[in-house]
Short mmCIF file of all heavy atoms in Angstrom, two decimals:
data_model
loop_
_atom_site.label_atom_id
_atom_site.label_comp_id
_atom_site.label_asym_id
_atom_site.label_seq_id
_atom_site.Cartn_x
_atom_site.Cartn_y
_atom_site.Cartn_z
N ALA A 1 -32.77 -32.60 38.42
CA ALA A 1 -32.26 -32.41 39.78
C ALA A 1 -31.02 -31.52 39.80
O ALA A 1 -30.85 -30.72 40.72
CB ALA A 1 -31.95 -33.76 40.42
N TRP A 2 -30.16 -31.65 38.77
CA TRP A 2 -28.97 -30.80 38.73
C TRP A 2 -29.35 -29.33 38.61
O TRP A 2 -28.76 -28.48 39.27
CB TRP A 2 -28.05 -31.20 37.58
CG TRP A 2 -27.35 -32.50 37.81
CD1 TRP A 2 -27.51 -33.65 37.09
CD2 TRP A 2 -26.40 -32.80 38.83
NE1 TRP A 2 -26.72 -34.64 37.60
CE2 TRP A 2 -26.02 -34.15 38.67
CE3 TRP A 2 -25.84 -32.07 39.86
CZ2 TRP A 2 -25.09 -34.77 39.51
CZ3 TRP A 2 -24.92 -32.70 40.70
CH2 TRP A 2 -24.56 -34.02 40.52
N GLY A 3 -30.31 -29.04 37.77
CA GLY A 3 -30.78 -27.65 37.63
C GLY A 3 -31.39 -27.14 38.91
O GLY A 3 -31.20 -25.98 39.29
N CYS A 4 -32.11 -28.01 39.61
CA CYS A 4 -32.71 -27.65 40.90
C CYS A 4 -31.63 -27.28 41.90
O CYS A 4 -31.71 -26.24 42.56
CB CYS A 4 -33.56 -28.82 41.42
SG CYS A 4 -34.33 -28.52 43.02
N VAL A 5 -30.60 -28.12 41.99
CA VAL A 5 -29.49 -27.84 42.91
C VAL A 5 -28.82 -26.52 42.55
O VAL A 5 -28.55 -25.68 43.43
CB VAL A 5 -28.46 -29.01 42.88
CG1 VAL A 5 -27.17 -28.63 43.60
CG2 VAL A 5 -29.08 -30.25 43.50
N MET A 6 -28.57 -26.31 41.27
CA MET A 6 -27.92 -25.07 40.83
C MET A 6 -28.79 -23.84 41.12
O MET A 6 -28.28 -22.80 41.53
CB MET A 6 -27.57 -25.15 39.34
CG MET A 6 -26.54 -26.21 39.02
SD MET A 6 -24.92 -25.89 39.72
CE MET A 6 -24.24 -24.87 38.43
N ASN A 7 -30.11 -23.97 40.93
CA ASN A 7 -31.03 -22.87 41.25
C ASN A 7 -30.97 -22.52 42.73
O ASN A 7 -30.93 -21.34 43.10
CB ASN A 7 -32.47 -23.23 40.87
CG ASN A 7 -32.81 -22.86 39.46
OD1 ASN A 7 -32.28 -21.91 38.91
ND2 ASN A 7 -33.70 -23.62 38.86
N ILE A 8 -31.02 -23.55 43.57
CA ILE A 8 -30.99 -23.31 45.02
C ILE A 8 -29.69 -22.65 45.42
O ILE A 8 -29.67 -21.67 46.17
CB ILE A 8 -31.22 -24.63 45.79
CG1 ILE A 8 -32.65 -25.14 45.57
CG2 ILE A 8 -30.94 -24.44 47.29
CD1 ILE A 8 -32.90 -26.56 46.06
N ILE A 9 -28.57 -23.17 44.93
CA ILE A 9 -27.26 -22.60 45.27
C ILE A 9 -27.18 -21.15 44.83
O ILE A 9 -26.77 -20.27 45.59
CB ILE A 9 -26.12 -23.44 44.65
CG1 ILE A 9 -26.05 -24.80 45.33
CG2 ILE A 9 -24.78 -22.71 44.75
CD1 ILE A 9 -25.13 -25.80 44.63
N SER A 10 -27.58 -20.88 43.59
CA SER A 10 -27.50 -19.52 43.06
C SER A 10 -28.38 -18.55 43.84
O SER A 10 -27.92 -17.48 44.27
CB SER A 10 -27.92 -19.53 41.58
OG SER A 10 -27.99 -18.23 41.08
N THR A 11 -29.63 -18.92 44.03
CA THR A 11 -30.56 -18.02 44.72
C THR A 11 -30.15 -17.80 46.16
O THR A 11 -30.18 -16.67 46.65
CB THR A 11 -31.99 -18.57 44.64
OG1 THR A 11 -32.37 -18.65 43.27
CG2 THR A 11 -32.98 -17.68 45.37
N CYS A 12 -29.76 -18.86 46.85
CA CYS A 12 -29.35 -18.71 48.25
C CYS A 12 -28.08 -17.88 48.38
O CYS A 12 -27.95 -17.08 49.31
CB CYS A 12 -29.20 -20.07 48.93
SG CYS A 12 -30.78 -20.85 49.28
N ALA A 13 -27.14 -18.07 47.45
CA ALA A 13 -25.91 -17.28 47.49
C ALA A 13 -26.22 -15.79 47.37
O ALA A 13 -25.59 -14.97 48.03
CB ALA A 13 -24.95 -17.72 46.39
N PHE A 14 -27.21 -15.45 46.58
CA PHE A 14 -27.59 -14.04 46.41
C PHE A 14 -28.51 -13.58 47.55
O PHE A 14 -28.19 -12.67 48.31
CB PHE A 14 -28.27 -13.81 45.06
CG PHE A 14 -28.74 -12.40 44.86
CD1 PHE A 14 -27.83 -11.41 44.52
CD2 PHE A 14 -30.06 -12.05 45.03
CE1 PHE A 14 -28.23 -10.09 44.35
CE2 PHE A 14 -30.48 -10.74 44.87
CZ PHE A 14 -29.57 -9.76 44.52
N ALA A 15 -29.66 -14.21 47.66
CA ALA A 15 -30.71 -13.71 48.55
C ALA A 15 -30.38 -13.88 50.03
O ALA A 15 -30.66 -12.99 50.84
CB ALA A 15 -32.04 -14.41 48.23
N CYS A 16 -29.80 -15.01 50.40
CA CYS A 16 -29.50 -15.24 51.82
C CYS A 16 -28.39 -14.33 52.31
O CYS A 16 -28.45 -13.82 53.43
CB CYS A 16 -29.17 -16.70 52.07
SG CYS A 16 -30.57 -17.80 51.80
N VAL A 17 -27.37 -14.12 51.50
CA VAL A 17 -26.29 -13.21 51.88
C VAL A 17 -26.83 -11.79 52.02
O VAL A 17 -26.57 -11.10 53.01
CB VAL A 17 -25.13 -13.27 50.85
CG1 VAL A 17 -24.15 -12.12 51.04
CG2 VAL A 17 -24.41 -14.61 50.95
N ALA A 18 -27.62 -11.34 51.04
CA ALA A 18 -28.19 -9.99 51.10
C ALA A 18 -29.09 -9.85 52.33
O ALA A 18 -29.01 -8.84 53.06
CB ALA A 18 -28.97 -9.69 49.83
N ALA A 19 -29.93 -10.84 52.59
CA ALA A 19 -30.86 -10.78 53.72
C ALA A 19 -30.12 -10.82 55.06
O ALA A 19 -30.52 -10.13 56.01
CB ALA A 19 -31.86 -11.92 53.64
N LEU A 20 -29.06 -11.60 55.14
CA LEU A 20 -28.29 -11.68 56.38
C LEU A 20 -27.66 -10.32 56.72
O LEU A 20 -27.74 -9.85 57.85
CB LEU A 20 -27.21 -12.75 56.26
CG LEU A 20 -26.33 -12.95 57.50
CD1 LEU A 20 -27.16 -13.46 58.67
CD2 LEU A 20 -25.20 -13.92 57.19
N ILE A 21 -27.06 -9.70 55.74
CA ILE A 21 -26.44 -8.38 55.97
C ILE A 21 -27.52 -7.35 56.28
O ILE A 21 -27.37 -6.54 57.20
CB ILE A 21 -25.56 -7.98 54.76
CG1 ILE A 21 -24.35 -8.91 54.71
CG2 ILE A 21 -25.14 -6.51 54.86
CD1 ILE A 21 -23.51 -8.79 53.47
N TYR A 22 -28.63 -7.38 55.55
CA TYR A 22 -29.71 -6.43 55.81
C TYR A 22 -30.30 -6.64 57.21
O TYR A 22 -30.68 -5.68 57.88
CB TYR A 22 -30.80 -6.54 54.75
CG TYR A 22 -31.90 -5.53 54.94
CD1 TYR A 22 -31.67 -4.18 54.68
CD2 TYR A 22 -33.15 -5.91 55.39
CE1 TYR A 22 -32.68 -3.23 54.86
CE2 TYR A 22 -34.16 -4.97 55.57
CZ TYR A 22 -33.92 -3.64 55.30
OH TYR A 22 -34.91 -2.71 55.50
N LYS A 23 -30.37 -7.87 57.66
CA LYS A 23 -30.89 -8.17 59.00
C LYS A 23 -30.01 -7.52 60.07
O LYS A 23 -30.50 -7.04 61.07
CB LYS A 23 -30.97 -9.68 59.20
CG LYS A 23 -31.62 -10.09 60.49
CD LYS A 23 -31.76 -11.59 60.57
CE LYS A 23 -32.47 -11.99 61.85
NZ LYS A 23 -32.67 -13.42 61.93
N LYS A 24 -28.70 -7.52 59.83
CA LYS A 24 -27.75 -6.91 60.79
C LYS A 24 -27.78 -5.38 60.72
O LYS A 24 -27.54 -4.72 61.72
CB LYS A 24 -26.33 -7.40 60.51
CG LYS A 24 -26.15 -8.89 60.54
CD LYS A 24 -25.87 -9.35 61.92
CE LYS A 24 -25.58 -10.85 61.89
NZ LYS A 24 -25.93 -11.49 63.11
N LYS A 25 -28.03 -4.85 59.53
CA LYS A 25 -28.04 -3.39 59.33
C LYS A 25 -29.24 -3.04 58.45
O LYS A 25 -29.12 -2.98 57.23
CB LYS A 25 -26.73 -2.94 58.68
CG LYS A 25 -26.59 -1.44 58.59
CD LYS A 25 -25.25 -1.02 58.04
CE LYS A 25 -25.21 0.49 57.99
NZ LYS A 25 -23.93 1.00 57.60
N SER A 26 -30.38 -2.81 59.08
CA SER A 26 -31.64 -2.60 58.36
C SER A 26 -31.81 -1.15 57.92
O SER A 26 -32.71 -0.44 58.38
CB SER A 26 -32.82 -3.03 59.23
OG SER A 26 -32.71 -4.39 59.55
N THR A 27 -30.92 -0.73 57.04
CA THR A 27 -30.98 0.61 56.47
C THR A 27 -30.80 0.48 54.96
O THR A 27 -30.49 -0.61 54.46
CB THR A 27 -29.84 1.49 57.01
OG1 THR A 27 -28.58 0.92 56.61
CG2 THR A 27 -29.89 1.60 58.54
N LEU A 28 -30.97 1.58 54.24
CA LEU A 28 -30.73 1.55 52.80
C LEU A 28 -29.28 1.15 52.52
O LEU A 28 -29.01 0.34 51.64
CB LEU A 28 -31.05 2.91 52.17
CG LEU A 28 -30.78 3.03 50.68
CD1 LEU A 28 -31.59 2.01 49.89
CD2 LEU A 28 -31.07 4.44 50.19
N ALA A 29 -28.36 1.69 53.31
CA ALA A 29 -26.94 1.33 53.13
C ALA A 29 -26.73 -0.17 53.37
O ALA A 29 -26.00 -0.83 52.64
CB ALA A 29 -26.06 2.15 54.07
N GLY A 30 -27.39 -0.71 54.39
CA GLY A 30 -27.29 -2.13 54.68
C GLY A 30 -27.84 -2.97 53.54
O GLY A 30 -27.29 -4.01 53.19
N ALA A 31 -28.96 -2.50 52.97
CA ALA A 31 -29.56 -3.21 51.83
C ALA A 31 -28.61 -3.19 50.63
O ALA A 31 -28.40 -4.23 49.98
CB ALA A 31 -30.90 -2.59 51.46
N VAL A 32 -28.03 -2.04 50.34
CA VAL A 32 -27.12 -1.92 49.19
C VAL A 32 -25.88 -2.78 49.42
O VAL A 32 -25.46 -3.52 48.52
CB VAL A 32 -26.75 -0.43 48.94
CG1 VAL A 32 -25.62 -0.32 47.92
CG2 VAL A 32 -27.97 0.34 48.48
N ILE A 33 -25.30 -2.70 50.61
CA ILE A 33 -24.12 -3.52 50.91
C ILE A 33 -24.48 -5.00 50.81
O ILE A 33 -23.72 -5.80 50.23
CB ILE A 33 -23.56 -3.17 52.31
CG1 ILE A 33 -22.97 -1.76 52.30
CG2 ILE A 33 -22.52 -4.20 52.76
CD1 ILE A 33 -22.68 -1.19 53.68
N GLY A 34 -25.62 -5.39 51.36
CA GLY A 34 -26.06 -6.77 51.29
C GLY A 34 -26.25 -7.25 49.86
O GLY A 34 -25.83 -8.36 49.50
#
């Protein structure tokens, strides 16, 4: 369960932040910044 929690935290910290920024600015620059 600890590894599961750490996986979720790590992946969400990366993917959700990138996706949120890309959603606001859907360009190559937005993707890179995200």
Side-chain angles (χ1 to χ4, degrees):
W2 288 115
C4 178
V5 168
M6 295 295 273
N7 271 330
I8 293 169
I9 291 169
S10 174
T11 299
C12 286
F14 177 78
C16 294
V17 167
L20 180 65
I21 292 171
Y22 183 72
K23 186 176 182 177
K24 303 273 185 209
K25 187 176 180 175
S26 300
T27 63
L28 177 59
V32 170
I33 291 166

